[in-house]
Amino acid sequence: MIELWFVIIAFLWTGYFVLEGFDFGVGMLSPFLARNEGQRKQILQTIGPVWDGNEVWLITAVGAMFAAFPAWYAGFLSSFYLPLTLVLAGLIVRGVSLEWRGKLEHASDRAWADVGILVGSALPAFLWGAVFADVLLNSGVAALVGGAFSLAVAVLHGAVFLALRTEGQVRRRARAAAMGAACAVIPLASFALSAVPGDGDLPVWLASGGAMALLAAGGSLIWRRREGWAFAATAGAIVLTSAALFGMLAARPLPGLTLAEAASGPYTLGVLTWIGLAVLPFVLVYQGWTYWVFRKRIAAPARAQVSH
């Protein structure tokens, strides 16, 4: 039961990294890819129906940690109190900016909302990588490299998502941004993932190597205008990176703490299992249905298409 709930929590975190990854990327790229208000709306519309649903994965993952592994939850949050507080602040600022932007009439007010979206996307994208790298290596340098890696992957993932979901000038700029981001991500991935302390664990090393290969494939595929396959590649790279991460955390989720020591009692885990069986399929079906409904490309308004 302990191993089952660790896998469930790893799955929830992975879903969050994949789905919020492109949210963060879109938020960071929006000020740079849009040349007018119509194009900004086109870009933000790609994540408008899904960004708040994507955050549910984080809430569920943290809630599952609290219930199934309370010692892990307490140690993780207390050890990284400041960066996790900044993550929360970034998510709040981003959410408020996304919600208020469409209600603001003046361009200067919308510009401040755009800054909020940019900062609120960049902070969590960097800090999640920094926090988990520090958990693994207990090093400030590792935290900086991990943060830079997760930030760059989010930019690449978001650019590919925009190329997949938009038309016109934004699509062309998103493709160019994705190719530029790939040039930065691949060296970072080689440096960051090669430093993964797998301790001879073959599955961890295979996952790390597979992630690097998929990031390179994503850059190649976006250059060939295969946006759908490129998005699958970047999403797969995030999945494999998360698999390597949690593969290492399985032995010791925190220094000096094993899963058995961190876990709740058998009765609590049993009750959680029944709750998970009832709730998790509903979440998956709802999210899948949402993405299916909003799967079509988004075109910019006519005036935005002809402006430069």
Side-chain angles (χ1 to χ4, degrees):
M1 199 71 72
I2 292 174
E3 291 77 10
L4 171 64
W5 270 98
F6 181 78
V7 170
I8 291 173
I9 289 169
F11 171 76
L12 293 170
W13 274 106
T14 301
Y16 172 71
F17 292 148
V18 171
L19 299 176
E20 278 279 80
F22 69 74
D23 275 357
F24 293 150
V26 170
M28 288 185 282
L29 288 167
S30 174
F32 305 103
L33 299 186
R35 299 293 184 268
N36 53 51
E37 181 60 21
Q39 290 177 0
R40 289 185 184 90
K41 289 182 178 179
Q42 179 190 14
I43 290 171
L44 295 178
Q45 193 176 345
T46 63
I47 61 172
V50 298
W51 69 266
D52 50 352
N54 293 341
E55 290 187 352
V56 172
W57 288 79
L58 173 62
I59 297 169
T60 309
V62 173
M65 286 176 64
F66 169 75
F69 299 99
W72 183 19
Y73 166 88
F76 182 72
L77 267 65
S78 60
S79 297
F80 299 98
Y81 184 83
L82 178 58
L84 293 180
T85 300
L86 291 175
V87 167
L88 181 60
L91 294 176
I92 291 171
V93 168
R94 184 184 68 137
V96 170
S97 299
L98 284 168
E99 291 291 345
W100 280 9
R101 192 186 190 286
K103 301 174 176 64
L104 299 172
E105 297 181 358
H106 301 292
S108 59
D109 295 333
R110 291 195 296 269
W112 280 110
D114 291 336
V115 172
I117 294 169
L118 170 63
V119 174
S121 299
L123 263 181
F126 176 84
L127 289 171
W128 283 127
V131 165
F132 280 104
D134 193 59
V135 169
L136 293 178
L137 297 171
N138 191 27
S139 163
V141 174
L144 290 174
V145 173
F149 172 66
S150 62
L151 184 73
V153 170
V155 171
L156 173 61
H157 197 39
V160 172
F161 179 76
L162 280 175
L164 176 65
R165 291 296 317 283
T166 59
E167 297 178 353
Q169 295 178 17
V170 169
R171 181 186 180 188
R172 290 191 289 274
R173 294 190 197 112
R175 286 184 60 250
M179 288 185 283
C183 293
V185 165
I186 294 169
L188 268 173
S190 300
F191 184 69
L193 295 177
S194 63
V196 167
D199 295 328
D201 191 341
L202 182 60
V204 169
W205 282 104
L206 288 176
S208 300
M212 286 189 279
L214 285 176
L215 288 171
S220 174
L221 288 164
I222 198 67
W223 178 73
R224 296 165 56 192
R225 301 176 185 271
R226 304 295 295 272
E227 290 100 339
W229 286 108
F231 184 75
T234 56
I238 296 172
V239 170
L240 289 179
T241 301
S242 183
L245 166 66
F246 284 96
M248 289 177 286
L249 292 179
R252 292 190 180 277
L254 286 175
L257 183 71
T258 66
L259 281 181
E261 294 168 342
S264 296
Y267 177 79
T268 301
L269 294 177
V271 172
L272 286 174
T273 300
W274 287 109
I275 295 173
L277 288 173
V279 174
L280 192 57
F282 171 77
V283 173
L284 294 175
V285 170
Y286 170 75
Q287 284 256 278
W289 176 80
T290 302
Y291 280 96
W292 176 257
V293 169
F294 296 102
R295 67 188 183 279
K296 294 182 179 179
R297 289 185 182 272
I298 297 172
R303 284 186 299 175
Q305 291 282 12
V306 299
S307 60
H308 296 278

